[in-house]
Amino acid sequence: SSFLVCLQLMTADIYNLIVSIDGVAIPGMPCVGCIRVLPGNLDLGESTIEGFPHSLLAGTSCSFRIRLLDVFDNAIPLGDDMLIWFQTDSWVFISNTGTEFHLYSNQTGVHTIRAFVNAKEFAFSPLTLRILIPEPSSPSCVTFLQSKDTLVTNQRFQVRVSGSFHVDSSSSLQSEW
C-alpha cells in the first residue's frame, strides 16, 4: 500500500512522523526526525531589532540585536552571504559580533542610523538615536575605542574634579594635580 500524507508546516524545525491505522503504527513508523523544515527567504519587513535605545547618555554604550526572520517569523541564521551594516554619521560607532551589536557615541544631539542587510534596507530603518548630556557620577565610567570598529569594555576610574588626567603611551592612567 501507499499513503499520501499532506502537511502544512510553517515553523522551521525537525519533526517526527507517526502514521497509524486504527491505533497501530504502520511498518517503518515512527520516523524520528525525518521531516526537516528550513526557514524561507529573508523578509526585511518581518526582521526585527531588539534593545536599540531611543536615547543614550554621551560616553556610554549599549548592546542591541537584529533578528533575521522569514515571512512566518522563523529565525534565519546569519550566513556568509549576508552582511549587516549601518550608515551613521561620524559620531556614532557600531561594532559587530554576528547579530549582536555594540553602540557608542560621545556626541550629544540627534543621530540618524540606517540599517542594511547586503544592499537592502530593513523595514525598521531609519532609526533615531538621541545622545543626552550625562550627569556626573562617581566613579566615572568611560568607553575606549580600540579601533574604528571595536569598542573596549567600559573601564572604571575616579578623577578629582579639581585635577586633570592624561593617558600615556603605555595605556596606564596617570594623574597630574
Side-chain angles (χ1 to χ4, degrees), residues 30-152:
C31 178
V32 177
C34 62
I35 299 174
R36 184 173 184 200
V37 178
L38 301 174
N41 293 328
L42 176 65
D43 186 322
L44 296 175
E46 293 292 322
S47 296
T48 61
I49 188 166
E50 299 169 346
F52 189 89
H54 295 291
S55 61
L56 187 67
L57 294 177
T60 63
S61 61
C62 73
S63 294
F64 65 93
R65 190 178 125 114
I66 291 182
R67 292 189 64 226
L68 302 175
L69 302 172
D70 69 6
V71 70
F72 299 110
D73 292 334
N74 292 305
I76 298 174
L78 186 63
D80 294 335
D81 60 336
M82 288 188 215
L83 174 65
I84 296 176
W85 59 279
F86 300 91
Q87 182 182 53
T88 67
D89 60 32
S90 61
W91 297 105
V92 176
F93 302 96
I94 300 175
S95 61
N96 175 346
T97 57
T99 54
E100 183 84 17
F101 299 90
H102 203 70
L103 174 114
Y104 169 81
S105 182
N106 62 359
Q107 180 65 39
T108 58
V110 177
H111 305 275
T112 300
I113 300 167
R114 301 181 86 85
F116 299 87
V117 60
N118 296 340
K120 297 179 181 171
E121 191 167 3
F122 285 100
F124 56 76
S125 178
L127 301 157
T128 301
L129 174 66
R130 182 177 304 279
I131 302 297
L132 306 172
I133 299 171
E135 294 292 324
S137 64
S138 180
S140 297
C141 184
V142 69
T143 300
F144 294 98
L145 292 174
Q146 186 174 35
S147 72
K148 179 181 172 238
D149 299 319
T150 308
L151 298 176
V152 176

Side-chain angles (χ1 to χ4, degrees), residues 155-176:
Q155 306 277 333
R156 290 200 169 276
F157 66 97
Q158 256 181 316
V159 178
R160 287 192 181 124
V161 176
S162 61
S164 65
F165 69 93
H166 71 276
V167 178
D168 69 11
S169 60
S170 66
S171 299
S172 64
L173 191 61
Q174 296 185 355
S175 298
E176 297 175 352

